[in-house]
Amino acid sequence: MEASVFGSSQARIGIRELGFCGVNRNLGFGRSNNQVWFGWRRRSRVRVAAMAVRSEGLAVGKEGIRVRRRRSEEEGVRLFVGLPLDAALDRNSAYHSRAIAAGLRALKLLGLEGVEMPVWWGLVEKEAMGKYDWSGYLTLAKMVQDAGLKIHVSLCFHASSDRPKIPLPQWVSQIGQAQPDIFFADRSGERHTNCLSLAVDDLPVLNGKTPLLVYEEFLESFKSAFSSFLSSTITDISVGLGPDGELRYPSFPSKRTNRVSGVGEFQCYDKHSLDNLRLHAQLTGNPNWGLGGPHDAPTYYEMPNSNAFFKESGGSWETPYGNFFLSWYSDQLMSHGERVLSLASRVYDEYDIALCGKVPLAHEWYRMRSHPSEMTAGFYNTDSRDGYDAVAQMFAKNSCAMTLPGMNLSDKNLPQDSLSSPELLLAQIKNACKRHGVPVYGENSLSATGPIGGLDETKKHLSGDDAVLDSFLYQRMGEEFFSPEHFPSFVQMFRSINQPKLHFDNVPVLDRDEADVAGGLMR
């Protein structure tokens, strides 16, 4: 079957900003007229799946939980690729739009399910509470729809920690300057201003409204603005639950690296968190335990055994006080997750949409009995206590899938002296999800090491006997993604997972003299 997807071979879109050239067996890269382009080599016929995999509907699972139906083995994993974080920021640039459109066409040609679209609170409700500007995202959603792709929306109630810098709404930051206790604080009093403290969820700290009410109005406004896309083009919505969108405390203030790091710090020193801790201590008959967090815990970059709290033998974490504090600290996080997920589930209940939330992979020091990095992040998980069972229960209760990052990480590529094990931690969380019938979505980590950023490890989670994923989000479109060092390997990985089972009659043979794949994105 012959098909022309993009029309004339003259329709390449050049991308000035991408600094690469070269030739791959199946892909062509080069320069012409002072522009860089990439595309399939001319005069070659390559079989690709040009149709998107159909999405699933919703079904009623055990205990009445509405869950998204499992895809059959023949259908494979739904694969999304993240759009640039600022994809909707420069919406007036015709060049920017052409570059994104070219990238979308390349992904469509490969047969991917769709793209992830990050939607930032700080861009939509930037100037004033209740004043929403969805225009950039509506334009972007229409582009994706026209490309024949699906959208996984990520609603981001945090500020970006990486470039490009996307802050919280201006009016929220202004409130924070006058009321700094709306933000998390560590033992030294340092504030984490990239997201609101979970302790203020139900407090009228935002011009007389609670954060939960502001989130609800945001969700309702999104539903109204994108009603024509919901259940059709928009098939999945991820709800931001904390720093970087994850259900956790900001126990690490800076971006993680692959070097050995410390255990992080407990984040319970804003006024409202301390008030909650003090009340909890009084109710349990131990008022002195409510004066603050553990005094013998390490600071951010100290090793676990540098202080008494996390020591393997005789550490304070195993004392009655340790159990009191860690239970309270974890319960506060779980309660926040419950509030936000239940809110989203209620707002979007009428739509055939899969809701999900992201749980971090705090894998450093996992081989220690106390699992200190997980504890500071809010997960009371030890060698004798499964801290993720309650998390999975909470996701199941709200009919939400759980997104797990780091699926391109492997134990062998991480420093051995950090006692890290992303593989064991992933297995534990996936087992908890399996027990409670929670669908698992996967995501790669941008800090991965190994061959082509961990594509080999990613493939293990997407195929094979132990593959349990319903969906996978690959981060992220941009210069590196479309580079000749990376993109051909990504194509090879995707085809090896989803396309070998396709019947020949369902796979168009495209003549590259008739159609070139153009792509690339602005830096």
Side-chain angles (χ1 to χ4, degrees):
M1 177 173 62
E2 300 290 336
S4 175
V5 178
F6 299 127
S8 169
S9 62
Q10 304 299 318
R12 297 193 195 102
I13 297 176
I15 306 300
R16 296 182 179 86
E17 281 82 358
L18 299 186
F20 59 81
C21 58
V23 177
N24 172 265
R25 178 181 178 184
N26 293 324
L27 289 168
F29 301 82
R31 291 182 184 273
S32 62
N33 299 325
N34 296 320
Q35 293 184 331
V36 179
W37 58 271
F38 87 90
W40 297 99
R41 295 177 63 184
R42 296 174 60 81
R43 296 182 298 279
S44 66
R45 292 175 181 268
V46 185
R47 297 192 188 105
V48 296
M51 72 285 196
V53 182
R54 65 182 181 273
S55 63
E56 321 115 7
L58 294 179
V60 178
K62 64 179 183 178
E63 300 177 357
I65 297 173
R66 294 177 72 244
V67 296
R68 188 161 286 273
R69 287 199 299 267
R70 278 264 187 224
R71 297 168 63 80
S72 68
E73 184 178 354
E74 288 73 20
E75 289 178 301
V77 177
R78 296 183 305 142
L79 183 60
F80 295 83
V81 172
L83 290 170
L85 295 177
D86 60 347
L89 187 60
D90 193 10
R91 60 182 179 273
N92 295 320
S93 169
Y95 174 75
H96 183 81
S97 298
R98 292 180 65 206
I100 291 178
L104 294 176
R105 291 197 294 270
L107 298 182
K108 173 62 177 178
L109 183 64
L110 289 178
L112 272 71
E113 181 83 355
V115 295
E116 177 255 359
M117 184 173 73
V119 176
W120 296 92
W121 183 26
L123 295 182
V124 174
E125 201 175 357
K126 179 180 180 179
E127 298 178 357
M129 182 169 59
K131 183 180 179 181
Y132 307 105
D133 180 6
W134 299 106
S135 56
Y137 290 111
L138 286 168
T139 299
L140 193 58
K142 186 64 168 59
M143 290 176 62
V144 178
Q145 184 182 61
D146 290 345
L149 296 169
K150 303 298 183 182
I151 301 177
H152 175 132
V153 170
S154 294
L155 300 177
C156 305
F157 294 112
H158 62 281
S160 65
S161 56
D162 300 323
R163 296 183 61 188
K165 291 292 185 180
I166 302 176
L168 293 177
Q170 292 177 358
W171 60 276
V172 173
S173 297
Q174 291 171 356
I175 292 174
Q177 293 175 2
Q179 303 177 48
D181 281 299
I182 68 173
F183 299 122
F184 287 103
D186 59 25
R187 187 166 54 187
S188 68
E190 181 180 351
R191 303 284 176 177
H192 179 90
T193 58
N194 281 357
C195 66
L196 298 179
S197 168
L198 56 84
V200 300
D201 278 353
D202 291 316
L203 300 179
V205 295
L206 299 180
N207 293 336
K209 291 186 177 181
T210 68
L212 283 179
L213 180 56
V214 172
Y215 297 157
E216 181 178 13
E217 292 174 348
F218 185 93
L219 296 177
E220 290 284 359
S221 178
F222 176 86
K223 181 173 69 172
S224 176
F226 289 85
S227 59
S228 62
F229 296 96
L230 295 173
S231 301
S232 54
T233 299
I234 297 176
T235 59
D236 301 74
I237 295 180
S238 177
V239 185
L241 299 173
D244 297 322
E246 297 176 335
L247 179 66
R248 64 176 174 90
Y249 291 94
S251 51
F252 279 87
S254 59
K255 187 177 179 180
R256 304 273 186 97
T257 66
N258 286 319
R259 63 181 177 82
V260 177
S261 60
V263 300
E265 281 196 28
F266 293 110
Q267 305 290 311
C268 59
Y269 292 90
D270 62 89
K271 175 185 181 298
H272 306 293
S273 293
L274 288 175
D275 287 345
N276 290 342
L277 177 60
R278 188 176 301 109
L279 176 61
H280 184 64
Q282 292 172 352
L283 293 175
T284 57
N286 298 286
N288 290 334
W289 287 357
L291 300 179
H295 69 278
D296 55 353
T299 56
Y300 290 113
Y301 301 107
E302 290 182 322
M303 298 297 102
N305 290 317
S306 62
N307 293 75
F309 193 81
F310 292 117
K311 281 189 174 180
E312 286 286 79
S313 179
S316 301
W317 63 277
E318 292 189 282
T319 64
Y321 165 74
N323 180 65
F324 159 83
F325 175 79
L326 293 170
S327 296
W328 169 82
Y329 191 68
S330 177
D331 287 347
Q332 295 296 297
L333 184 67
M334 295 304 104
S335 296
H336 169 73
E338 164 67 24
R339 290 190 290 267
V340 177
L341 290 182
S342 63
L343 171 63
S345 182
R346 184 172 66 254
V347 170
Y348 297 109
D349 181 64
E350 64 190 278
Y351 291 97
D352 182 7
I353 290 176
L355 290 179
C356 59
K358 190 174 178 181
V359 171
L361 195 71
H363 56 80
E364 297 88 348
W365 312 108
Y366 183 82
R367 296 182 187 274
M368 290 187 67
R369 294 179 55 236
S370 60
H371 297 211
S373 292
E374 293 166 81
M375 284 191 179
T376 57
F379 297 89
Y380 190 4
N381 187 55
T382 71
D383 66 339
S384 60
R385 187 182 193 277
D386 188 345
Y388 295 98
D389 193 75
V391 183
Q393 278 187 305
M394 182 258 290
F395 274 74
K397 176 183 176 182
N398 292 289
S399 305
C400 290
M402 185 185 297
T403 298
L404 300 178
M407 292 202 172
N408 54 339
L409 300 178
S410 63
D411 293 1
K412 65 181 180 181
N413 286 327
L414 294 172
Q416 298 303 304
D417 47 358
S418 70
L419 301 179
S420 176
S421 182
E423 296 176 23
L424 289 177
L425 180 53
L426 274 173
Q428 179 185 354
I429 302 176
K430 286 195 291 185
N431 284 335
C433 289
K434 184 177 180 180
R435 287 194 300 272
H436 296 284
V438 176
V440 177
Y441 288 7
E443 187 176 306
N444 63 318
S445 169
L446 297 179
S447 61
T449 59
I452 316 298
L455 286 181
D456 291 342
E457 193 66 28
T458 299
K459 184 178 176 181
K460 295 179 183 178
H461 293 285
L462 297 178
S463 59
D465 295 336
D466 61 344
V468 296
L469 302 183
D470 289 271
S471 176
F472 191 89
L473 171 56
Y474 193 89
Q475 303 287 18
R476 175 173 298 278
M477 287 171 67
E479 179 184 13
E480 182 180 356
F481 177 79
F482 284 116
S483 72
E485 293 79 21
H486 179 275
F487 192 68
S489 298
F490 173 81
V491 172
Q492 183 180 22
M493 179 200 73
F494 175 72
R495 287 182 175 168
S496 68
I497 295 166
N498 272 19
Q499 294 187 4
K501 297 180 183 293
L502 290 177
H503 190 273
F504 178 83
D505 291 339
N506 293 327
V507 184
V509 180
L510 306 182
D511 188 341
R512 299 309 174 212
D513 283 328
E514 295 182 278
D516 287 327
V517 180
L521 287 168
M522 299 173 63
R523 292 182 182 179

